[in-house]
Amino acid sequence: MLAPRYIWIASLAATVILLLYVASLFLGFSRQIQEVGVRVEAEEVLLPLPKKVTLISVEEAMLYRRSIRDYLTTPVAIEKLSMILWAAQGVSETKWGLRTAPSAGATYPLEVYIVVGASGVALEEGVYLEAGVYKYDVHRHSIKLVAEGDRRAELAKAALGQEWVENAPVVIVICAVYERTTARYGERGYRYVYIEVGHAAQNIYLMATALGLGTVAVGAFYDDEVARVVGVEQRERPLYIMPIGVPQQPYVTSFEEIGSYYSARR
Ligand SMILES: Cc1cc2nc3c(=O)[nH]c(=O)nc-3n(C[C@H](O)[C@H](O)[C@H](O)COP(=O)(O)O)c2cc1C
């Protein structure tokens, strides 16, 4: 029989060992995330910084761009999501914070949200971003959690049941605050905002294509329903939904094929 004193020492040692084990698991986990350049701080995710990642030219991205509606269940890597958000509204000039897409009078009316599904965005092998709605912070190149849970099914319902909105691992929703542009340009500002969202969407299309991903610009949806599902701020109005995922079938063509199309018509 062990004396009560030894039992007490043994249980204290066991507790210390258990605590050390739990702490090492936690530290290992945070280090793993930092290694891939992603820092998850409370409800903000600092995205990997934008850098040159693609090997295809702009003309090839244009050639291979197609609206893609069928995706694999494969998650989108955070590095790729980072590049797509940067293409949509990221900073490309450091004096004034001008962006990758042009804006009338640099009034920047657009706000970008992402609706992330369960296991939709991979931070690394087997580690995923929590499902939810996140808002892109242009000047910190980060995303901030605004609502928890997988809202893709509800979003698809608000988009007339277009299943690609539900099936994509992550879905971009571009909104606009019209007043930022109409305050300077009056009624004409509305036209400028509509033009501008097209610039951002085309950047998303081309970047997704260059990264081996697919997307489709979705304009058919009930505005108020999308606004409610995403949980946008009062002045923000949704303009475009763009599901993002790995294409089930990448679109294939060549400049030779396009050349023959033209030659046959000359
Ligand atoms: C303003 C606009 C709204 C669109 N809305 C939808 C939509 O609601 N659902 C959809 O599946 N595709 C939508 N599209 C994608 C078009 O169907 C697609 O661009 C067109 O068929 C040409 O194919 P491509 O993009 O592969 O060249 C939209 C495109 C634009 C420009």
Side-chain angles (χ1 to χ4, degrees):
M1 277 290 280
L2 281 175
R5 190 156 57 102
Y6 291 118
I7 292 173
W8 185 83
I9 291 170
S11 59
L12 182 69
T15 310
V16 169
I17 288 166
L18 185 70
L19 283 175
L20 284 173
Y21 175 68
V22 171
S24 76
L25 281 182
F26 176 74
L27 287 175
F29 175 74
S30 6
R31 198 169 49 245
Q32 275 175 355
I33 290 181
Q34 277 168 17
E35 272 166 15
V36 293
V38 184
R39 269 168 56 207
V40 182
E41 290 181 352
E43 293 181 340
E44 179 181 25
V45 180
L46 298 173
L47 296 167
L49 294 177
K51 60 179 182 186
K52 178 168 167 44
V53 283
T54 68
L55 296 174
I56 75 170
S57 61
V58 69
E59 62 271 26
E60 287 169 309
M62 287 174 183
L63 180 68
Y64 302 133
R65 183 210 66 82
R66 196 84 288 133
S67 288
I68 303 288
R69 298 179 180 84
D70 296 312
Y71 314 105
L72 300 176
T73 51
T74 316
V76 172
I78 190 86
E79 293 83 357
K80 292 189 175 184
L81 179 64
S82 158
M83 292 309 294
I84 288 174
L85 290 172
W86 180 76
Q89 278 297 284
V91 168
S92 57
E93 187 272 350
T94 52
K95 188 173 178 200
W96 305 102
L98 302 179
R99 307 188 190 174
T100 49
S103 174
T107 49
Y108 297 120
L110 304 181
E111 295 291 341
V112 181
Y113 288 84
I114 54 169
V115 177
V116 177
S119 312
V121 174
L123 300 178
E124 63 165 304
E125 189 70 42
V127 183
Y128 303 101
L129 199 59
E130 188 191 336
V133 180
Y134 296 78
K135 189 173 189 179
Y136 181 52
D137 184 321
V138 169
H139 296 286
R140 288 174 61 79
H141 193 55
S142 72
I143 47 175
K144 289 174 181 160
L145 186 69
V146 294
E148 287 177 353
D150 186 349
R151 299 198 172 190
R152 292 172 303 163
E154 264 194 284
L155 188 63
K157 213 169 146 199
L160 288 70
Q162 300 186 61
E163 64 260 35
W164 32 97
V165 175
E166 179 170 357
N167 296 340
V170 54
V171 186
I172 295 176
V173 180
I174 309 179
C175 301
V177 179
Y178 291 109
E179 293 83 349
R180 288 183 197 153
T181 308
T182 56
R184 179 156 339 157
Y185 298 107
E187 278 294 303
R188 200 166 183 82
Y190 289 102
R191 174 198 296 229
Y192 292 162
V193 174
Y194 298 139
I195 293 171
E196 201 168 316
V197 77
H199 292 305
Q202 185 71 1
N203 277 5
I204 292 172
Y205 259 117
L206 295 178
M207 182 60 81
T209 306
L211 293 167
L213 297 171
T215 188
V216 53
V218 170
F221 52 79
Y222 298 109
D223 296 359
D224 290 345
E225 271 305 286
V226 169
R228 182 189 64 76
V229 172
V230 177
V232 303
E233 289 173 31
Q234 217 193 346
R235 292 184 316 158
E236 298 169 350
R237 302 303 296 154
L239 287 178
Y240 247 158
I241 297 177
M242 298 188 75
I244 306 278
V246 179
Q248 277 183 18
Q249 271 190 319
Y251 170 66
V252 185
T253 187
S254 64
F255 279 118
E256 287 70 32
E257 189 183 338
I258 306 305
S260 351
Y261 175 92
Y262 288 129
S263 299
R265 284 160 183 78
R266 288 182 171 184

